[in-house]
Amino acid sequence: MSRRRPARVERTRTRGGGGRAPRPARGHPPRRPHPPGARYRTGPDGVAGTNFALWAGGAEAVELCLFDEEERETRHPLTELTHEIWHGFLPGVRPGRRYGYRVHGRWDPWSGARWNPAKLLLDPYARAVDGDFGRRTEPAGPGTALPAQLYGHVRDWPDQHLADTVRDNRDSAPFVPKGVVVGEDAGEEGDDEWRDDRRPKTPWPDSVLYELHVRGFTMRHPGIPERLRGTYAGLAHPAALDHLVRLGVTAVELLPVHQFAHEDHLVRRGLRNYWGYNSIGYFAPHAGYAATGTRGQQVGEFKRMVRALHDAGIEVILDVVYNHTAEAGEMGPTLSLRGIDNRGYYRLAGDARRYADYTGCGNTLHVVQPHVLRLITDSLRYWVTEMGVDGFRFDLAAALARSMHDVDMLSPFLAVIAQDPVLRRVKLIAEPWDVGSGGYQVGAFPPLWTEWNDRYRDTVRDFWRGAQHDVRDLGYRLSGSSDLYAWGGRRPYASVNFITAHDGFTLRDLVTYEHKRNGDNGENNRDGNNDNRSWNCGAEGETDDPEVTALRHRQLRNFLTTLLLSTGVPMLVAGDEMGRTQHGNNNAYCQDNPTGWLDWSLLEDPRWRPLADLTARLITLRRAHPVLRRRAFFSGRPHEQGGLRDLAWFTADGTEMTEQDWYTPGATLGMYLSGNDISQRDERGVRIVDDSFLAVLHAAARPREITLPGPPWAQTYELLVDTAREEQPTAGEPPCPAGGTRTLEGRSVVLFRAVPG
């Protein structure tokens, strides 16, 4: 076996320690413990350099390691210590310089101490990262593992149940990425670049979210130059923006763009982490999505992407993973926080050798610790104030809301967010659960937050597959889920309504498969959710049967129409509007290939283009009518003397629902939204008046004759949407008389505009 020659190491000291480091002139900027990270600046006497600051509670010593172009390492002990922050100023260190840390301390895994100076550690505050773990940019072949040197313990120790207790003294520097010093002017934006008046600032009720993956959305787009595909620059390209604008969405919700790492078990199978829910750098845009370079250029490229989206009227929301890191459990690699202060950054179990795992990913950040809370909030503010983003979706947010053990809505994390002058003003979306005891918290987050509403997802799926006995739950979901959110001043837009998300079947697969097909993930189809609430419409998988195909297309139209007519904030998943498929894989987290990427040829396919047209039509309708974008919950009462109820429910017979009707088995529900009885007023205090609408949802397989409500609800009804038809109604169709009948095709939605007398 060949031996790797160790890199030449030079040791110097910052001021007070002697050595080779160039001494700054008199009056150089003082070494500062704040802000954390690497900050390049010029002092009052013109001496330029970088201040480095690292919180490492309990450490015995910290070495800053600088790397040149030949990977030669120079170590500078940080001798200044202020409140457990090790810091020092190095003149001459300019933007683009790569660095890492080595932290010295005890090795005592039984007490949670896992310091190992042989491991080069990524700065938690690094604003850019260059390189990848193991130095791989493409998937390795099956059977190839991450380098064993990445682990603080001897990964391949014969006695595996003790392996994490045996320290590995081999140098990890050749196998790890380095932080990059980034100048304050990265991206060349002015001081007012992210002013409020230059952001879209779409109100919550008017928002339509579009969840997408930077790489997957752009990799196969024929209008994006090949060199830009899979990158931030690709998403900023006019070809990508044109689709978003034409569709009408108001915000993109980007799957994780923090620097992340690939798990060893994936690398061994020749795969890689595609979704990115494995963060290791909370300030750094993931370098793998940069077209312009990784020595800090990714920062400017990300900013330019945000600016291009803003110019198109589209907000940018980041899916962020502050609940755990890529270091996994005690058998995971030592990449950053574990080697800086394992006991300070992570929640440890009663046996301090183990981790408290509320995330299912091996570890949980210890958010009640002040320095960890600061790391998270500093990161959030950085992405808002310096990178320009407009909000965040918090993965497994319940894990962040835990105090010592239980989920606590008065937890330090939620309290800090609520009073922060920057963060309380941006869009905050909780994934309101984790995998720990008591972790399911849908409807429980405080008023500042919106939530992914999986109750909406499950109810709508069940309704359209015929698995509900009555329509009680559907009524709540269509009207804003007041049973979950009508408390503490919360509004209907607290509910982010979705039918699909990145995690699970695509919309097309939801009507094509009843059983997941995750064999390509290499886990013998054990991964992914088994409770999909899907229905294949009579045949498992793709089929040429015209009846099954027609029914599937109708079901897709039913789902999209239901979603975009519901009160709350709708969230679409990129590609669902054009019939994207993952061929039954409901957990494509490791499919960085055409399975996980959008197939843009679907937009040119006459079988799928009408679906995209319907989606855009529904979003346009929603944007045009405030009655579909409620800012307050329905009261079920008139708001003006002689008016109608703002919301009324009807049976298929055209009569108003009684209490008994809600409990009667049935699959047809009429929902009347009165535009003349909206409680809200505009910015000038004038009462808002809109058209009135009647939507009828019919989930039974057989056609059903319905009676349209008579006066005073309307004189006639103008048909706007009929999901039984691929081509939607036009303005030339004759109106339907109030009190008249109409036959609904099996499993369809109709939407009427109620025309008054």
Side-chain angles (χ1 to χ4, degrees):
M1 182 176 69
S2 63
R3 292 181 178 271
R4 179 181 294 273
R5 179 175 295 177
R8 182 161 63 90
V9 175
E10 299 177 0
R11 284 182 171 82
T12 64
R13 288 185 179 272
T14 57
R15 185 181 178 189
R20 294 190 181 89
R23 289 185 177 275
R26 174 178 292 182
H28 73 87
R31 297 157 176 80
R32 301 173 182 171
H34 304 292
R39 293 298 183 95
Y40 175 76
R41 66 178 189 271
T42 302
D45 56 1
V47 176
T50 300
N51 193 82
F52 295 89
L54 177 74
W55 184 92
E60 297 172 359
V62 173
E63 292 179 297
L64 168 69
C65 306
L66 299 178
F67 293 84
D68 63 17
E69 297 301 321
E70 286 73 40
E71 295 296 324
R72 289 177 299 204
E73 176 182 354
T74 304
R75 300 183 186 178
H76 303 263
L78 298 181
T79 58
E80 301 190 43
L81 180 62
T82 306
H83 304 309
E84 298 186 308
I85 298 173
W86 301 78
H87 55 101
F89 179 83
L90 269 70
V93 175
R94 304 183 65 83
R97 191 69 180 270
R98 295 173 304 143
Y99 72 100
Y101 290 108
R102 298 181 187 273
V103 182
H104 299 254
R106 292 185 305 113
W107 177 265
D108 183 19
W110 292 270
S111 67
R114 293 183 178 270
W115 284 285
N116 185 346
K119 307 306 169 183
L120 186 74
L121 306 174
L122 193 63
D123 179 6
Y125 279 80
R127 297 190 174 197
V129 175
D130 178 61
D132 202 356
F133 295 100
R135 286 184 170 177
R136 295 194 182 96
T137 57
E138 299 298 330
T144 304
L146 287 175
Q149 290 89 336
L150 292 177
Y151 294 76
H153 63 278
V154 180
R155 182 188 66 187
D156 303 318
W157 189 257
D159 194 347
Q160 274 293 293
H161 82 282
L162 292 175
D164 71 291
T165 68
V166 184
R167 193 167 85 166
D168 186 313
N169 295 317
R170 291 174 292 180
D171 185 13
S172 69
F175 307 99
V176 299
K178 280 75 178 177
V180 180
V181 177
V182 176
E184 295 301 315
D185 60 347
E188 302 180 356
E189 283 75 20
D191 292 339
D192 64 348
E193 175 64 21
W194 308 121
R195 286 187 337 215
D196 278 357
D197 61 353
R198 299 184 65 175
R199 295 173 181 260
K201 294 192 70 176
T202 306
W204 262 126
D206 302 339
S207 297
V208 178
L209 309 183
Y210 189 75
E211 188 191 49
L212 68 81
H213 189 288
V214 169
R215 181 169 167 84
F217 187 76
T218 59
M219 275 299 291
R220 303 176 71 186
H221 197 302
I224 298 175
E226 189 169 350
R227 64 184 177 83
L228 300 182
R229 295 177 187 174
T231 69
Y232 307 118
L235 183 55
H237 191 274
L241 297 175
D242 285 350
H243 179 75
L244 300 174
V245 171
R246 187 164 52 246
L247 197 58
V249 298
T250 68
V252 290
E253 185 176 304
L254 304 182
L255 266 68
V257 295
H258 288 164
Q259 186 71 32
F260 62 86
H262 305 292
E263 297 93 324
D264 183 68
H265 70 90
L266 292 178
V267 174
R268 289 175 184 268
R269 297 200 296 269
L271 299 169
R272 57 194 288 137
N273 190 310
Y274 169 56
W275 286 347
Y277 290 91
N278 207 37
S279 300
I280 197 60
Y282 290 131
F283 289 78
H286 186 63
Y289 300 157
T292 52
T294 59
R295 295 293 183 90
Q297 297 94 334
Q298 61 265 55
V299 177
E301 185 177 333
F302 185 93
K303 290 181 179 180
R304 290 188 290 274
M305 176 198 73
V306 173
R307 186 162 61 249
L309 286 159
H310 282 180
D311 289 346
I314 297 170
E315 294 184 301
V316 179
I317 297 172
L318 302 188
D319 195 334
V320 290
V321 189
Y322 294 111
N323 56 79
H324 75 280
T325 75
E327 293 185 298
E330 62 271 11
M331 294 298 185
T334 295
L335 310 175
S336 182
L337 304 182
R338 173 178 286 135
I340 295 171
D341 183 5
N342 184 58
R343 296 178 297 188
Y345 278 106
Y346 293 115
R347 290 180 180 266
L348 302 182
D351 172 5
R353 181 181 156 196
R354 314 293 182 189
Y355 293 82
D357 183 9
Y358 297 112
T359 67
C361 299
N363 65 55
T364 306
L365 278 181
H366 203 357
V367 181
V368 298
Q369 294 278 17
H371 52 275
V372 180
L373 187 57
R374 180 183 178 183
L375 171 68
I376 295 172
T377 54
D378 282 354
S379 168
L380 292 169
R381 281 189 294 269
Y382 171 75
W383 287 96
V384 174
T385 60
E386 298 194 38
M387 302 297 272
V389 306
D390 305 286
F392 305 94
R393 178 265 187 188
F394 292 81
D395 181 67
L396 300 182
L400 299 172
R402 289 183 181 271
S403 290
M404 294 311 296
H405 299 288
D406 296 333
V407 178
D408 179 5
M409 291 305 160
L410 297 175
S411 67
F413 172 74
L414 294 178
V416 166
I417 295 291
Q419 60 77 44
D420 189 282
V422 172
L423 301 181
R424 69 189 182 199
R425 297 171 60 194
V426 302
K427 287 183 165 66
L428 302 172
I429 306 171
E431 183 183 38
W433 52 77
D434 65 21
V435 302
S437 175
Y440 186 77
Q441 295 290 324
V442 173
F445 274 71
L448 188 64
W449 292 75
T450 64
E451 299 174 13
W452 271 23
N453 186 353
D454 69 333
R455 290 276 300 277
Y456 180 94
R457 175 199 65 194
D458 293 349
T459 296
V460 173
R461 287 188 181 191
D462 282 346
F463 177 75
W464 286 115
R465 71 188 179 109
Q468 286 187 324
H469 298 294
D470 54 50
V471 293
R472 280 178 294 162
D473 207 35
L474 180 66
Y476 276 120
R477 305 306 147 232
L478 293 174
S479 58
S481 295
S482 60
D483 58 329
L484 299 175
Y485 301 112
W487 63 273
R490 302 191 81 180
R491 299 299 183 94
Y493 47 81
S495 176
V496 174
N497 300 330
F498 68 103
I499 296 167
T500 58
H502 65 275
D503 189 0
F505 281 143
T506 67
L507 196 63
R508 176 175 169 181
D509 289 354
L510 190 68
V511 300
T512 306
Y513 299 92
E514 293 185 8
H515 306 285
K516 63 187 182 185
R517 298 189 178 188
N518 297 356
D520 289 344
N521 296 354
E523 300 179 40
N524 296 318
N525 210 37
R526 294 191 302 268
D527 63 303
N529 198 344
N530 293 315
D531 181 21
N532 294 290
R533 301 179 188 236
S534 59
W535 178 50
N536 62 22
C537 298
E540 183 70 4
E542 298 292 340
T543 179
D544 294 328
D545 186 317
E547 291 187 5
V548 172
T549 299
L551 178 55
R552 287 175 177 174
H553 281 250
R554 187 185 308 166
Q555 288 285 76
L556 293 177
R557 294 192 290 270
N558 289 338
F559 280 124
L560 289 169
T561 303
T562 304
L563 176 65
L564 290 166
L565 293 182
S566 297
T567 298
V569 179
M571 185 186 79
L572 298 162
V573 177
D576 276 354
E577 77 278 10
M578 61 181 84
R580 174 176 167 258
T581 178
Q582 292 178 171
H583 311 290
N585 191 322
N586 76 346
N587 189 35
Y589 78 105
C590 56
Q591 297 300 319
D592 189 4
N593 52 49
T595 296
W597 305 339
L598 265 69
D599 179 3
W600 288 94
S601 69
L602 293 168
L603 272 183
E604 307 305 321
D605 189 329
R607 296 172 299 174
W608 297 107
R609 179 69 200 200
L611 191 65
D613 293 340
L614 174 63
T615 306
R617 176 182 179 144
L618 289 165
I619 293 175
T620 299
L621 184 72
R622 184 182 183 90
R623 184 171 59 243
H625 293 285
V627 74
L628 300 176
R629 299 179 279 107
R630 297 278 304 189
R631 284 163 164 74
F633 285 106
F634 296 99
S635 67
R637 301 187 304 272
H639 291 279
E640 297 289 337
Q641 186 174 3
L644 302 174
R645 281 182 288 283
D646 56 6
L647 172 67
W649 303 99
F650 289 89
T651 68
D653 296 329
T655 59
E656 288 192 69
M657 296 274 288
T658 66
E659 184 72 16
Q660 182 178 351
D661 289 328
W662 287 108
Y663 291 87
T664 301
T668 307
L669 180 64
M671 177 177 67
Y672 185 96
L673 305 173
S674 176
N676 288 315
D677 296 272
I678 301 174
S679 59
Q680 67 215 48
R681 296 177 180 269
D682 65 17
E683 295 177 352
R684 299 184 301 274
V686 178
R687 189 169 68 88
I688 294 175
V689 178
D690 192 14
D691 292 331
S692 298
F693 295 91
L694 173 69
V696 184
L697 294 79
H698 176 58
R702 294 184 177 181
R704 174 71 187 264
E705 187 176 83
I706 63 168
T707 300
L708 301 177
W713 304 102
Q715 286 296 121
T716 59
Y717 291 91
E718 178 189 351
L719 182 64
L720 301 179
V721 176
D722 183 354
T723 63
R725 301 158 56 168
E726 186 172 276
E727 298 297 330
Q728 292 305 303
T730 63
E733 295 197 13
C736 305
T741 61
R742 181 182 178 90
T743 299
L744 263 60
E745 295 297 327
R747 298 191 176 92
S748 66
V749 181
V750 290
L751 176 68
F752 299 95
R753 177 184 286 114
V755 181

